[in-house]
């Protein structure tokens, strides 16, 4: 799992967190408005939505090794195309390529690959690979700024293409096998039986799917917004750029801390309870964030707290389907349920850019607080409905 974790660290850093590190420099170089620049990332997330069901089926059918290796190559192509783009058509085309690559290489693809290999017992492996992936912003935001300071943002993105190629052998190290649920059944592992889960009936499965999809979509909306604009939110609240970059990297530390706790203590807490705890922390983080411009402690607490909450929600995005749905069709079912997640997150960079421009950083944090409240409400209903049957 170490190699897959390293691949996640690189893949997230060079794609999902790219716009957060270079967005302002790209806008200045291209002479475009923030909406147009961040719209490229939004287009990539929309492509992820369109590709999600097919990507899930591909992994169920062919395994993660082939699909994720192909994604590494597409990542490299997308980064090179973005580095060479000067016109809106080529700029957006590059982001469309990166959208396909992200769906084939990021957590949702990795989770489906691990579920195919390990079935319902893949929970621990899912948490393990997110340990390094959670540090992507912590590593790549400062690294990207350092590289761009020497060769510009275009040179930095071209270097990112080289990082993408480094993930090819890491993805090739994935086992090419499929989990045998009959072996678990013979050993008395009820977790591999779809009828043994808390959402056994068709109606329960539908309710579980809607609640899971809603939580995933709203959490993804917040994640896309924070990934694109967290540094900008800090500067909008009056924090200097250099300090904003450093404070924002605390988010990655919080994410990995939450995931380390899951690896160490995960067997003592079920995914439904972990999901509720993370959802309860989200609104608190955004309230603290409103005071970031007045207090360095509040600014750090916002980044760390949001990192912890988002890190835990990323894990439950992968582990809840193991409890609520059929692990044997994990890639297909989750790929379908996550379409709304990618669609909503695709709008986040542009929506946040517009809100920041019109209402300022405080307005964007207030909007985030409202979305976090909806996540908490859905998490409460999900746990009340299904925890007693788990």
């Amino acid at each position: 799992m170490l190699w897959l974790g390293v691949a996640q660290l690189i893949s997230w850093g060079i794609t999902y967190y790219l716009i957060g590190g270079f967005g302002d420099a790209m806008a200045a170089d291209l002479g475009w408005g923030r909406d147009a620049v961040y719209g490229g990332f939004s287009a990539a997330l929309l492509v992820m939505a369109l590709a999600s069901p097919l990507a899930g089926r591909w992994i169920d059918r062919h395994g993660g090794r082939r699909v994720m290796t192909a994604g590494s190559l597409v990542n490299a192509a997308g980064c090179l195309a973005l580095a060479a783009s000067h016109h809106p058509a080529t700029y957006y085309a590059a982001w469309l390529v990166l959208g396909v690559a992200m769906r084939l290489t990021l957590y949702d693809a990795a989770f489906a690959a691990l579920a195919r290999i390990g079935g319902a017992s893949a929970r621990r492996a899912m948490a393990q690979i997110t340990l390094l992936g959670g540090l992507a912003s912590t590593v790549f935001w400062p690294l990207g700024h350092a590289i761009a300071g020497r060769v510009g943002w275009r040179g930095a993105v071209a270097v990112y293409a080289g990082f993408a190629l480094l993930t090819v052998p890491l993805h090739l190290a994935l086992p090419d096998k499929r989990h045998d649920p009959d072996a678990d059944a013979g050993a008395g592992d009820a977790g591999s039986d779809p009828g043994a889960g808390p959402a056994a009936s068709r109606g329960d499965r539908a309710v579980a799917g809607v609640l899971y999809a809603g939580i995933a979509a709203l959490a993804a909306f917040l994640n896309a917004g924070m990934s694109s604009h967290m540094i900008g939110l800090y500067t909008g609240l009056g924090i200097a750029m250099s300090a904003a970059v450093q404070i924002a990297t605390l988010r990655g530390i919080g994410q990995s801390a939450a995931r380390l706790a899951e690896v160490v203590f995960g067997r003592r807490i079920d995914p439904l309870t972990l999901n509720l705890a993370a959802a309860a922390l989200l609104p608190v983080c955004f309230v603290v964030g409103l005071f970031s411009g007045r207090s360095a402690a509040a600014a750090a607490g916002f980044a760390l707290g949001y990192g912890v909450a988002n890190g835990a929600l990323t894990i439950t995005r992968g582990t809840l389907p193991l409890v609520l749905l059929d692990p044997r069709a994990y890639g297909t079912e989750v790929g379908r349920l996550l379409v709304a997640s990618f669609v909503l997150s695709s709008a986040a960079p542009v929506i946040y850019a517009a809100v920041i421009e019109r209402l300022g950083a405080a307005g964007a944090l207030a909007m985030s607080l409202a979305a976090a409240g909806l996540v908490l409400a859905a998490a409460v209903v999900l746990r009340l409905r299904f925890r007693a049957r788990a």
Side-chain angles (χ1 to χ4, degrees):
M1 291 306 103
L2 173 62
W3 303 126
L4 186 56
V6 173
Q8 288 298 297
L9 168 67
I10 295 172
S11 297
W12 278 93
I14 65 174
T15 58
Y16 199 90
Y17 292 111
L18 185 154
I19 193 72
F22 302 133
D24 289 341
M26 295 163 78
D29 177 56
L30 294 167
W32 304 344
R34 290 174 62 89
D35 291 358
V37 172
Y38 285 89
F41 183 52
S42 293
L45 295 177
L46 185 59
V47 169
M48 290 180 74
L50 298 175
S52 185
L54 185 58
R57 288 197 296 271
W58 282 348
I59 293 174
D60 278 346
R61 184 175 303 171
H62 303 294
R65 182 163 71 178
R66 297 181 187 178
V67 174
M68 298 186 77
T69 299
S72 296
L73 299 175
V74 180
N75 257 339
C79 286
L80 289 175
L82 185 62
S85 64
H86 292 82
H87 188 273
T90 55
Y91 176 81
Y92 275 81
W95 275 112
L96 297 181
V97 173
L98 285 172
V100 174
M102 285 192 287
R103 185 57 184 90
L104 300 180
T105 57
L106 299 187
Y107 284 146
D108 297 308
F111 291 159
L114 292 173
R116 185 180 188 270
I117 294 168
S121 64
R123 174 183 176 181
R124 184 175 177 82
M126 290 178 178
Q128 288 172 337
I129 67 165
T130 63
L131 281 173
L132 288 174
L135 294 171
S137 61
T138 302
V139 172
F140 277 89
W141 276 344
L143 178 61
H145 273 271
I147 298 173
R150 292 180 176 271
V151 296
W153 75 266
R154 295 182 186 277
V157 175
V159 171
Y160 279 11
F163 279 116
L165 294 177
L166 292 179
T167 65
V168 170
L170 301 179
H171 288 145
L172 287 173
L174 273 170
D176 189 18
K177 65 178 183 178
R178 183 188 293 273
H179 174 67
D180 181 7
D182 293 332
D184 282 347
D189 182 1
S192 63
D193 178 5
S201 72
R202 179 175 298 179
D204 279 349
R205 288 167 68 86
V207 172
V210 169
L211 290 172
Y212 167 80
I215 292 170
L218 290 167
F221 174 80
L222 292 171
N223 188 33
M226 291 299 104
S227 299
S228 303
H229 297 284
M230 178 170 269
I231 295 173
L233 288 174
Y234 280 130
T235 58
L237 291 169
I239 299 174
M241 172 62 78
S242 58
V245 172
Q246 294 303 316
I247 295 171
T249 60
L250 294 175
R251 166 188 167 169
I253 295 174
Q255 288 181 158
S256 288
R259 292 159 185 175
L260 178 60
E262 161 67 14
V263 171
V264 176
F265 305 110
R267 294 187 180 185
R268 303 181 186 180
I269 181 170
D270 64 89
L272 290 165
T273 302
L274 177 62
N275 186 67
L276 178 57
L281 179 59
L282 268 184
V284 177
C285 296
F286 290 112
V287 170
V288 172
L290 288 168
F291 297 92
S292 294
R294 306 177 190 175
S295 166
F302 168 46
L304 275 171
Y306 177 73
V308 170
N310 187 62
L313 286 171
T314 300
I315 292 173
T316 58
R317 178 181 174 118
T319 57
L320 280 174
L322 296 175
V323 176
L324 299 170
L325 305 172
D326 182 359
R328 293 176 295 187
Y330 183 104
T332 301
E333 291 203 43
V334 173
R336 173 175 51 84
L337 291 172
L338 290 182
V339 170
S341 171
F342 293 125
V343 170
L344 189 57
S345 65
S346 72
V350 174
I351 290 175
Y352 270 83
V355 171
I356 291 171
E357 184 174 341
R358 292 163 178 78
L359 302 178
L365 287 170
M367 177 182 67
S368 303
L369 177 60
L374 294 175
V375 173
L376 176 57
V380 169
V381 174
L382 188 67
R383 189 178 187 279
L384 290 176
R385 177 73 183 264
F386 297 106
R387 177 66 183 96
R389 307 183 194 181

